[in-house]
């Protein structure tokens, strides 16, 4: 029986308990306002954000591999949920809620299945710049969208641009009280983010405690404004959360309606994968600090099970969140037991304290979301990537722009395509170097950069890239240009030191190259072919027609071919 | 003014004329039955196949770069035309024909624009196995579809499987006369394909002439069966081509209806790109035999202009065809003037000889199409690819299966995705080798394959792949496993000989790796970093935090780190 328990639980030591308990407490303080806010962002009743913060946390603790990842509702997945469901139903309607449940269910099943199939590698389809670009774009879209509840205006718009125009146009209709509270809380949270840690340190708190304290600002704002509104009797003049049903979530069986499943399959896949990629990145960052390991397949199963649990609680897609994970780690969490405690605390809130949020204005939740979203726009990363490589910088900015202009799902696909096209593009511009022998050694170096010995009859070309369909044509053209010199060489030796793979397209190319060289009286040779590459060539059509030799080393090729008295 | 003429025309010599004329004659003999047949395959009136064989040939001769490519209707593009238009209109209806014209027009504009933008590299998005797989799948789909006119049965079906089931089910309703003629012609063409070249050589023809003679079998079948049907008065009992309008095509301006353009944009792009990829492959194969060059950008412009010309003639998408190009080359074509002559000959047929095909049964055209399609299924290529690499063999078979089961357009996208996923997959399983010094030399080789000197404190690892988002994670994991040995090394040296590029994701990885090693007291060094890679690293966050050194050679690293008396 103990074999079924996760390793961390079997090895649990009592001295870890205080850290896990404290972390659970501070995570709960952040999770309550975030849960309410992200449910609103997803177009769902606020209590669903709390429902999504009980069972998923328990289930993730059983299946996941991260010691500190805090699973629950997150901004980007909530935005994507809204974007997938809005075309199908009215936000907040029973059909809409059923759709959200189905999204979590499908996405959970897919992730869990991918985990069983050990497809953790799926996360590698997106590069860091593309992921950062996607998250930045989604965050900007969230910020623009949240200006509506923040200011109390009505505006429609599919893309960030049309939405922004709508918001600006409807500014004259803003509700002054809503806007005043919203902008005030936003300013307060902003100031807390920037000045509170320093202030707390000044008051004598340790640096970690100060950082942690400043994270509680959203909860403080929620409680303070709710109390103020209730005391001042402003509830009628504001859009407030209202009375939430008290009690734990009921078991909900997802409605498996094929007419609803079909349009949700692709969004469920994308929400699941994006959530997975984000979670793994967060979990790995924290695991490295502690010298721990993340198992991507276990993460797939953990997040998959958490989403199924969220669906069965009647809630929406969940995944690992960055700010909560940071709070969890800073709060001293050492094992997933912190998540279990947090789930218990949220359950207590649901049973005993839902009345707390009755007078909470929606504009406060909008301010909480906006502050969280601002933290997702990583301008420093864009600057760093841009400096390193213009093309990757363009992929970053292009993905962000794609999300803003076309929407979140199209933005993801656009980003993945950009990643892949960049890859092909780069590989299709292979580097070839004509090499010669460094005098007195057996080393061969680029003739353009070093003083080396060469022989007019023997052209030695080093291929600095794997040969595959993306660059076969370009390599052939470059080689043909190189041998088209005057006088023509008698021998072309391809130095394969950097070639770890030759695919079928490149094999066709090498055959065609050899045939073309044969007509010009030039013999093709290979040198320093790696073992696995040679295994692939052996018995194939190239080796059948190749009249040249396969040399073990470039030096052997040079010695054999460049000295006619030995060679002929 | 002469500067506007293509180079081949300015340099034309009279001694090339006989070859170009003869080639034009034999190409015309093949183009007439193929044109009629492929128009029928596309669901269009037969004469449109001849219309698509006049202006496009003239225009390609002006813009293209191949000396022998024969442009005109081809099987795969015709199938794709039918597949794009069938959901939108009834085959043969005025709307359907307008759609075909629009497809050619849009696809031509796109290709021409890509040519101006020098996007000839687009062709590299598909590997040879995927292209062969796509063509094989499309050919099988064509064969199954043509069983209907061949046997005179009615059957519906979207995929090859449902279509095949439909054909088998409706076999009891087949028209005996149609089926007898169709199967007879099919058998005759098959026999001609296999035995006629040998027979003709036996009769004293040269090998080239025999091959060429056997290519005229379709035209012979068309003329013989038409004459027989007319003489025997069977026209009423068969589905025949009927009276074609005599005369040249009229100028048609494409109807630019946005409601029609939108659904045709993607099909037009795919038809254009597939046609381009096929054409370039054919043109390059023939150019290599003659030591000539193909300019992919000129091909884009040539095929683009040819498709626009086809649209303005009221016809459908065209591209380079393999069998006609072979006939053209075997017939002695030396310049695109052969294409110009062929266009003139087709024009003469249109003006004077359309009556010839009045009694031609459609079943004969179906037999012509089936024989051509059989030649497109390259089983030898599949066997070769499979032997070289299982994964590429799967991509071949998977693309073919995708076309058969889901359809041509989805099949293309599926194939491209397979190409890219294969690429990522391969690159995400990078090869790392622990190396040591070959005694008495400065060479470093894999410790698993060679007897080499090592030092327990210095771990030298050669990275045999570019570092990018697809393999960064895997490389890090492998390196962490390597350093987790006992006793732990003091130094990890990454030998970067095979690394030509490090992307932003991999740079993040190297930073994280260094941070992780630092906590374990292991120092990270780099060796043999290529110039462009070093340029990218310099000034970046990795170099800022790296405590180790960047060595010019592995030997230098080994000498410096492995001998403490020198090092400390």
């Amino acid at each position: 029986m103990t074999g079924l328990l996760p390793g961390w639980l079997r090895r649990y030591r009592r001295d870890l308990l205080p850290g896990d308990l404290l972390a659970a407490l501070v995570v709960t303080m952040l999770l309550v306002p975030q849960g309410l806010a992200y449910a609103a962002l997803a177009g769902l009743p606020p209590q669903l954000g709390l429902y999504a913060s009980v069972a998923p946390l328990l289930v993730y603790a059983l299946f996941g591999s991260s010691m500190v990842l805090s699973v629950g509702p997150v901004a980007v997945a909530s935005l994507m949920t809204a974007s997938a469901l809005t075309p199908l139903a009215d936000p907040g309607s029973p059909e809409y809620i059923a759709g959200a449940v189905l999204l979590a269910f499908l996405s959970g099943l897919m992730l869990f299945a991918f985990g069983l199939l050990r497809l953790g590698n799926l996360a590698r389809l997106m590069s860091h710049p593309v992921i950062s670009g996607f998250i930045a774009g989604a965050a900007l879209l969230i910020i623009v969208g949240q200006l509506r509840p923040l200011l109390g205006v009505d505006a429609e718009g599919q893309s960030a641009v049309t939405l922004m125009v709508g918001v600006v146009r409807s500014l004259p209709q803003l509700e002054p009280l809503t806007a005043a509270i919203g902008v005030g809380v936003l300013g307060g949270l902003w100031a807390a983010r920037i000045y509170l840690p320093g202030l707390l340190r000044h008051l004598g708190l340790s640096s970690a405690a100060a950082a942690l304290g400043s994270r509680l600002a959203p909860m403080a704002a929620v409680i303070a404004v709710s109390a103020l509104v209730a005391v001042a009797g402003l509830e009628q003049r504001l859009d407030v959360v209202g009375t939430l049903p008290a009690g734990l979530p009921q078991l909900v069986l997802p409605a498996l309606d094929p007419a609803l499943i079909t349009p949700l399959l692709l969004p469920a896949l994308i929400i699941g994968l994006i959530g997975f990629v984000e979670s793994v990145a967060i979990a790995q960052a924290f695991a490295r600090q502690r010298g721990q390991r993340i198992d991507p397949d276990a993460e797939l199963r953990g997040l998959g099970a958490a989403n199924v649990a969220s669906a069965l609680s009647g809630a929406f897609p969940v995944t690992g969140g960055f700010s909560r994970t940071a709070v969890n780690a800073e709060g001293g969490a050492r094992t997933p037991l912190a998540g279990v405690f947090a789930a218990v605390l949220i359950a207590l809130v649901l049973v005993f304290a839902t009345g707390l949020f009755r007078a909470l204005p929606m504009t406060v939740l909008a301010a909480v979301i906006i502050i969280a979203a601002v933290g997702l726009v990583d301008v420093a990363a864009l600057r760093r990537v841009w400096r390193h490589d213009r093309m990757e910088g363009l992929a970053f900015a292009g993905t962000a722009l794609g999300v803003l202009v076309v929407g979140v799902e199209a933005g993801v696909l656009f980003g993945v395509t950009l990643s892949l096209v960049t890859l092909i593009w780069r590989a299709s511009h292979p580097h070839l170097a004509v090499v010669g022998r460094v005098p007195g050694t057996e080393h061969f170096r680029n003739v353009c950069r070093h003083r080396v010995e060469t022989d007019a009859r023997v052209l030695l070309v080093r291929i600095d890239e794997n040969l595959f369909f993306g660059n076969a044509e370009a390599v052939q053209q470059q080689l043909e240009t190189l041998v088209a010199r005057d006088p023509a060489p008698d021998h072309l030796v391809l130095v394969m030191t950097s070639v770890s793979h030759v695919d079928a397209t490149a094999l066709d190319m090498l055959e065609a190259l050899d045939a073309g060289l044969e007509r010009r009286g030039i013999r093709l040779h290979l040198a320093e072919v790696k073992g696995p590459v040679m295994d692939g060539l052996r018995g194939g059509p190239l080796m059948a027609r190749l009249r040249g030799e396969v040399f073990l080393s470039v030096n052997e090729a040079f010695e054999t071919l460049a000295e006619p008295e030995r060679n002929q």
Side-chain angles (χ1 to χ4, degrees), chain A residues 187-201:
Chain A
L189 290 176
W190 189 286
R193 194 187 163 88
I194 297 176
Y195 301 112
L196 198 54
L199 189 68
L200 291 176
R201 276 200 304 276

Side-chain angles (χ1 to χ4, degrees), chain A residues 321-345:
Chain A
F322 184 76
S323 59
R324 281 198 311 272
T325 303
V327 163
N328 202 26
E330 289 162 3
R334 301 291 295 275
T335 73
L337 200 61
V340 173
F341 291 145
V344 171
L345 289 172

Side-chain angles (χ1 to χ4, degrees), chain A residues 380-391:
Chain A
L382 174 57
R383 204 178 299 131
R384 199 170 61 232
V385 169
W386 180 261
R387 220 177 282 146
H388 175 64
D389 188 326
R390 289 294 128 89
M391 236 165 119

Side-chain angles (χ1 to χ4, degrees), chain A residues 72-433:
Chain A
V74 305
V76 174
S78 301
L79 174 73
M80 295 176 79
T81 299
S83 139
L85 295 175
T86 312
L88 303 176
D90 284 332
S93 67
E95 297 76 38
Y96 190 96
I97 297 175
V101 166
L102 197 53
L103 260 184
F105 189 68
L106 293 174
S107 143
L109 286 186
M110 289 179 193
L111 291 184
F112 200 85
F114 292 163
L116 293 181
L117 295 170
R118 310 204 148 273
L119 293 178
N121 281 332
L122 276 176
R124 295 184 189 156
L125 277 174
M126 289 177 89
S127 68
H128 285 193
V130 163
I131 295 171
S132 305
F134 171 75
I135 290 176
L140 290 172
L141 199 56
I142 289 171
I143 292 171
V144 173
Q146 290 300 307
L147 290 177
R148 294 175 298 180
L150 187 83
L151 304 174
V153 299
D154 259 335
E156 292 293 319
Q158 278 298 314
S159 75
V161 182
T162 53
L163 201 56
M164 194 67 216
V165 170
V167 168
V168 170
R169 276 215 188 122
S170 54
L171 273 186
Q173 280 90 47
L174 66 74
E175 295 167 24
L177 185 60
T178 302
I181 295 177
V183 173
V185 171
L186 187 64
L189 290 176
W190 189 286
R193 194 187 163 88
I194 297 176
Y195 301 112
L196 198 54
L199 189 68
L200 291 176
R201 276 200 304 276
H202 198 73
L203 293 175
L205 266 69
S206 76
S207 173
L212 206 55
S214 73
R215 302 268 190 185
L216 302 181
M219 190 63 173
V222 161
I223 293 175
V225 176
S226 298
L228 261 167
V229 169
V231 168
L234 295 172
E235 293 168 52
Q236 308 303 324
R237 297 179 52 200
L238 289 163
D239 190 9
V240 293
V241 166
T243 312
L244 299 181
L248 293 176
Q250 306 287 311
L251 180 69
V252 171
L253 293 178
L256 298 175
D257 174 8
L260 201 51
I261 290 179
T262 314
L264 290 182
L265 278 176
L266 186 64
L269 178 69
I270 295 181
I271 293 174
L273 286 184
I274 288 284
F276 167 63
V277 169
E278 267 186 86
S279 285
V280 166
I282 297 168
Q284 256 159 355
F286 284 94
R288 260 177 219 135
Q289 291 181 1
R290 305 173 174 214
Q292 295 167 343
R293 269 289 173 80
I294 294 301
D295 171 1
D297 296 316
E299 286 309 293
L300 277 171
R301 295 192 298 270
L303 292 172
N307 273 294
V308 170
S310 187
L312 297 180
S313 313
F316 57 108
V318 294
T319 191
F322 184 76
S323 59
R324 281 198 311 272
T325 303
V327 163
N328 202 26
E330 289 162 3
R334 301 291 295 275
T335 73
L337 200 61
V340 173
F341 291 145
V344 171
L345 289 172
I346 297 279
L348 291 175
V349 169
L350 273 169
V351 172
F352 299 109
T354 49
L356 272 183
F357 314 112
R358 193 177 42 82
L360 173 62
M362 298 302 284
T363 184
V364 174
L365 294 182
V368 168
I369 295 176
I370 290 176
I371 283 292
V374 166
L376 296 176
V377 183
D378 192 347
V379 179
L382 174 57
R383 204 178 299 131
R384 199 170 61 232
V385 169
W386 180 261
R387 220 177 282 146
H388 175 64
D389 188 326
R390 289 294 128 89
M391 236 165 119
E392 290 203 276
L394 284 178
F396 187 125
T399 308
L401 216 64
V403 171
L404 286 174
V405 176
V406 196
V408 272
E409 282 162 32
V412 177
L413 298 178
F414 186 63
V416 171
T417 311
L418 266 180
S419 281
L420 298 178
V421 169
T422 314
L423 185 67
I424 298 271
W425 183 260
R426 179 138 39 227
S428 68
H429 291 73
H431 183 243
L432 301 190

Side-chain angles (χ1 to χ4, degrees), chain A residues 8-9 12-13 16-17 20-21 23-24 57-58 61 66-67 328 333-344:
Chain A
W8 61 263
L9 193 51
Y12 201 82
R13 302 191 317 268
L16 302 176
L17 202 57
D20 282 343
L21 267 173
L57 277 67
L58 298 174
S66 166
M67 292 297 111
N328 202 26
R334 301 291 295 275
T335 73
L337 200 61
V340 173
F341 291 145
V344 171

